[in-house]
Amino acid sequence: MGVTETPDASTDPALVETLQGIEEGDVLVVNDDTRTWDVTDVVERTIDDPADARESKRVLRLNSRSSVFGLKLVSYGEHYETSLHALESPDWTEDGQAFDVDEIEVLNQRVPWVVVSGGKAKKYHFPDPQAAAYGEAEPACGAGNQGSTYRITRCNSVVPAYSGCKDCLRHAKPVALQSVECPACSKFICQGVLQRVESAAIEGLSISCPRCGFEGTAGVSFEH
């Protein structure tokens, strides 16, 4: 992260939209940093003081192990300013500092199926896609507890009682694939969840339609 005493004068509109949509309970990566943040509180306030150029502010409290940061979005009417503030940090070089915010990734915590331990651990993982193809239940992060047995179950049967594995959230990066249809006859081909891919780089899927014999590329869209 680059330290700044004065945040950028104007925040990119796409980043503003992302910040405005973040809620308590979301999990974030900020500036592609190594930490994964839990959003533990969200405060929104209107500023009515005519002597203050600010119109409103939205502050997110972020927790990651022993660190606590504040992510602030301030509206000045014509533009927004965003900054990340270190409130509590084991790294003394960060303590009390403010940082520019260039990128925020909201991690997807919900997939249709998850992997849970047969023991008492209150944590769910994303399924490893290669293991799942063979009917086996293994965590996508590859860091399951030694000696534990796992099973695949529907996400809604364990959420919110269980919390998601942050390594799975960060590295598996699941994205839901909307229904794919044959562009020639509109036959349903597939739908599902993709993991460990950059969805922005996917323009379509190569298909062979069993109904009309079409062979080529079908367009795809993703749920974000």
Side-chain angles (χ1 to χ4, degrees):
M1 295 183 182
V3 179
T4 179
E5 295 182 357
T6 304
D8 290 340
S10 183
T11 300
D12 181 79
L15 185 57
V16 171
E17 184 177 357
T18 298
L19 272 163
Q20 290 174 332
I22 295 172
E23 299 294 344
E24 183 178 339
D26 284 342
V27 180
L28 314 178
V29 175
V30 181
N31 291 347
D32 200 27
D33 189 63
T34 57
R35 288 168 289 200
T36 307
W37 300 100
D38 290 302
V39 181
T40 59
D41 198 10
V42 179
V43 176
E44 296 188 73
R45 290 179 181 167
T46 300
I47 301 173
D48 297 322
D49 185 353
D52 195 326
R54 299 174 300 170
E55 292 187 352
S56 64
K57 65 179 180 179
R58 191 170 205 262
V59 183
L60 314 179
R61 185 180 178 89
L62 309 183
N63 286 67
S64 180
R65 295 182 181 178
S66 57
S67 298
V68 180
F69 277 49
L71 181 59
K72 184 185 297 184
L73 175 69
V74 179
S75 169
Y76 285 88
E78 297 297 327
H79 73 279
Y80 290 85
E81 292 183 4
T82 306
S83 53
L84 182 67
H85 300 261
L87 306 179
E88 299 175 19
S89 175
D91 184 350
W92 65 269
T93 65
E94 290 185 333
D95 199 25
Q97 297 290 336
F99 301 89
D100 284 327
V101 179
D102 303 312
E103 179 184 2
I104 296 174
E105 181 181 7
V106 182
L107 300 179
N108 182 9
Q109 302 180 68
R110 301 299 295 268
V111 293
W113 298 89
V114 295
V115 171
V116 296
S117 170
K120 297 182 179 180
K122 295 296 184 181
K123 180 182 291 187
Y124 66 82
H125 298 264
F126 292 161
D128 179 87
Q130 187 171 0
Y134 291 94
E136 301 172 355
E138 295 290 343
C141 64
N145 294 328
Q146 295 296 325
S148 294
T149 58
Y150 291 92
R151 59 187 173 86
I152 296 179
T153 185
R154 287 195 174 276
C155 187
N156 59 12
S157 70
V158 300
V159 175
Y162 283 38
S163 61
C165 167
K166 289 185 179 180
D167 287 334
C168 283
L169 294 177
R170 182 169 184 130
H171 299 298
K173 295 184 179 180
V175 58
L177 177 69
Q178 294 183 3
S179 296
V180 177
E181 298 180 348
C182 172
C185 69
S186 299
K187 176 177 173 56
F188 170 80
I189 301 296
C190 67
Q191 67 183 63
V193 176
L194 300 180
Q195 293 179 197
R196 300 174 184 168
V197 298
E198 180 53 62
S199 59
I202 300 177
E203 297 181 354
L205 295 180
S206 179
I207 68 166
S208 295
C209 180
R211 175 190 288 172
C212 69
F214 171 86
E215 293 190 3
T217 302
V220 296
S221 56
F222 302 95
E223 298 176 6
H224 295 285

